[in-house]
Amino acid sequence: MEYRQLGNTGLALSTITYGAFAIGGNMWGGNEQNDSINAIHASIEQGVTTIDTAPFYGFGLSEELVGKALVGKDRSKVQILTKFGLVWDGSNAGKGTYFFDAEENGKAIPVYKYTSKANIIKEVEESLTRLRTDYIDLLQVHWPDESTPIDETMEAMASLIAQGKIRAAGVCNYDLQQLQTAEKTIALASNQVPYSMLNRGIEQAIVPYAQQHNMGIIAYSPLERGLLTGKYFNGATLANNDHRNGYFGQFDAEKVKALIATLQPIAANKQVSVSQLVLRWTTLQPGITIVLAGARNAQQAVENAGAMNVTITNEEMQIIAQALRAF
């Protein structure tokens, strides 16, 4: 495994980071908790020291599973990245900016973006309890909240750093203007944004800004939630309540199939999977610090970590670049 410094911090994170969205179950057709814990253990055994989660993932379940999986582990050797700012129940339900309706047990649950100072303090304490730890390595705004001034949110995170509750502050899904506004108050460690072979929009402005300001880029959905594995073109199916039934519809299926057809012989020649090739390609792109990869079981976790052993030649990078011109 390779480790990279995150922006302006002293955090050295594993280039492949365990993404804990799917193990929360909601929006992903459920989960098997023992498999999820085994996946985290297998990741750590393979050198994946960094775990990215959030309160919203499974309405707290993802954080709880991460906390449970880390019992008995050396906390100083694992970096926990979590988030705040999505609310759905309790005293803050309905506050902030309406986001969307999530689903749990067939019931629609309205989710709001809410990043007020009071809510940040509340959420951090809840996360610390679920994660069974007394500090968070990187705390991130999950989504921009138009109802709360950005400086209020950043001031609250600066206060949490001073208190030792968090080691570094980051954001997710911030555009260029939001980053510039935030950095008037605090030097951000990172911006977590979607990035994949099919979605390279951040290359235009976000990546250059990050490079100029010593800010890390955390890439999520590098496999487009499994689409770039190719398995959903070969008979794999999704549960009815899996959000990917709709998510995959944004892509041109024939173009994606053609891309996978280009990637398959390259991967086969290296005796690796297409997903490993895609993950490794993502880690090699300019400005990308770490890449999130989810795993529901130990086998997937080992495969994800193994992506770092893949070597891609300049000629192969050019072949891939040519194929990506279709997007």
Side-chain angles (χ1 to χ4, degrees), residues 120-121 124-125 139 155-166:
I120 297 168
I121 294 169
V124 165
E125 293 303 322
L139 182 68
E155 286 168 4
M157 287 208 285
S159 176
L160 288 167
I161 291 174
Q163 295 171 39
K165 297 285 181 75
I166 67 174

Side-chain angles (χ1 to χ4, degrees), residues 37-305:
I37 290 172
N38 289 338
I40 295 172
H41 288 167
S43 294
I44 294 172
E45 290 167 5
Q46 296 297 315
V48 174
T49 61
T50 311
I51 301 171
D52 180 85
T53 183
F56 172 69
Y57 301 161
F59 302 116
L61 179 59
S62 176
E63 285 189 329
E64 289 174 3
L65 290 174
V66 170
K68 187 175 181 180
L70 295 181
V71 171
K73 304 293 183 183
D74 186 342
R75 176 68 180 86
S76 68
K77 295 182 179 178
V78 178
Q79 304 84 45
I80 298 176
L81 285 47
T82 194
K83 310 177 186 77
F84 69 89
L86 293 186
V87 299
W88 61 90
D89 67 357
S91 60
N92 287 328
K95 293 183 179 179
T97 307
Y98 172 76
F99 192 15
F100 71 106
D101 280 356
E103 182 269 335
E104 185 178 38
N105 299 323
K107 179 183 178 182
I109 301 176
V111 178
Y112 289 76
K113 295 179 286 187
Y114 188 48
T115 62
S116 73
K117 178 180 179 179
N119 185 55
I120 297 168
I121 294 169
K122 172 181 179 291
E123 286 203 54
V124 165
E125 293 303 322
E126 292 169 347
S127 289
L128 290 172
T129 297
R130 287 190 289 258
L131 292 164
R132 307 187 191 193
T133 187
D134 57 2
Y135 70 95
I136 293 163
D137 293 279
L138 176 69
L139 182 68
Q140 306 159 91
V141 181
H142 204 153
W143 283 90
D145 164 30
E146 296 81 3
S147 72
T148 303
I150 289 176
D151 60 350
E152 176 183 335
T153 305
M154 298 304 128
E155 286 168 4
M157 287 208 285
S159 176
L160 288 167
I161 291 174
Q163 295 171 39
K165 297 285 181 75
I166 67 174
R167 294 181 64 190
V171 296
C172 305
N173 305 298
Y174 265 39
D175 63 23
L176 182 60
Q177 183 177 359
Q178 290 163 338
L179 290 174
Q180 292 170 331
T181 301
E183 290 219 297
K184 292 177 181 178
T185 303
I186 193 172
L188 292 172
S190 57
N191 188 15
Q192 182 176 147
V193 283
Y195 182 70
S196 75
M197 288 183 172
L198 308 182
N199 179 8
R200 305 193 308 281
I202 64 168
E203 294 174 354
Q204 301 304 311
I206 298 300
V207 167
Y209 180 88
Q211 291 173 317
Q212 293 164 12
H213 293 80
N214 194 22
M215 182 186 298
I217 292 288
I218 301 175
Y220 74 81
S221 295
L223 293 171
E224 288 301 353
R225 312 192 187 191
L227 184 64
L228 284 173
T229 66
K231 65 183 180 181
Y232 295 105
F233 297 117
N234 293 314
T237 58
L238 298 167
N240 290 335
N241 60 343
D242 193 311
H243 78 287
R244 291 175 293 177
N245 286 297
Y247 182 85
F248 289 164
Q250 68 183 289
F251 303 105
D252 185 317
E254 294 306 313
K255 287 184 178 180
V256 177
K257 285 182 185 178
L259 172 60
I260 291 171
T262 298
L263 299 176
Q264 283 173 332
I266 299 174
N269 185 55
K270 300 175 184 299
Q271 297 184 316
V272 301
S273 67
V274 170
S275 63
Q276 287 176 311
L277 178 66
V278 172
L279 286 175
R280 186 56 172 146
W281 176 92
T282 311
T283 69
L284 294 171
Q285 299 312 297
I288 302 301
T289 310
I290 62 174
V291 175
L292 304 188
R296 294 204 192 205
N297 55 53
Q299 180 181 350
Q300 291 177 353
V302 171
E303 181 177 337
N304 289 343

